[in-house]
Amino acid sequence: LLHRFLTLSQELVASERALVWMMEPEMGILRPVAALPDMGLFADQTAAFGEGLIGQAVARMSPRLVADAARDPRRGRREVAS
């Protein structure tokens, strides 16, 4: 189901990569659980709530559409950009 959602989302915004992150509230982190075309460099990544692009989106409870993650100044130091 998540991969179908990612496929439709990726077609809608014409992106090269799409990820779904799962919240682990007891630890205050997010972890990727599904990705297209694959997990790649994100496989072992986590993000803290409020940290970087992913953590900020969760803290704001609002999705983000990022045109170029490698150049986005909101990207966290540990955050992979592909």
Side-chain angles (χ1 to χ4, degrees), residues 45-69:
Q45 294 291 309
T46 60
F49 294 176
E51 174 185 273
L53 294 167
I54 301 301
Q56 288 176 28
V58 169
R60 293 177 53 202
M61 297 299 287
S62 173
R64 289 201 181 267
L65 181 58
V66 179
D68 187 347

Side-chain angles (χ1 to χ4, degrees), residues 18-55:
L19 290 107
V20 172
W21 294 72
M22 181 177 288
M23 294 181 3
E24 294 183 11
E26 65 284 349
M27 296 183 66
I29 63 169
L30 301 138
R31 186 177 309 280
V33 293
L36 287 178
D38 55 43
M39 284 288 196
L41 297 173
F42 293 90
D44 296 323
Q45 294 291 309
T46 60
F49 294 176
E51 174 185 273
L53 294 167
I54 301 301

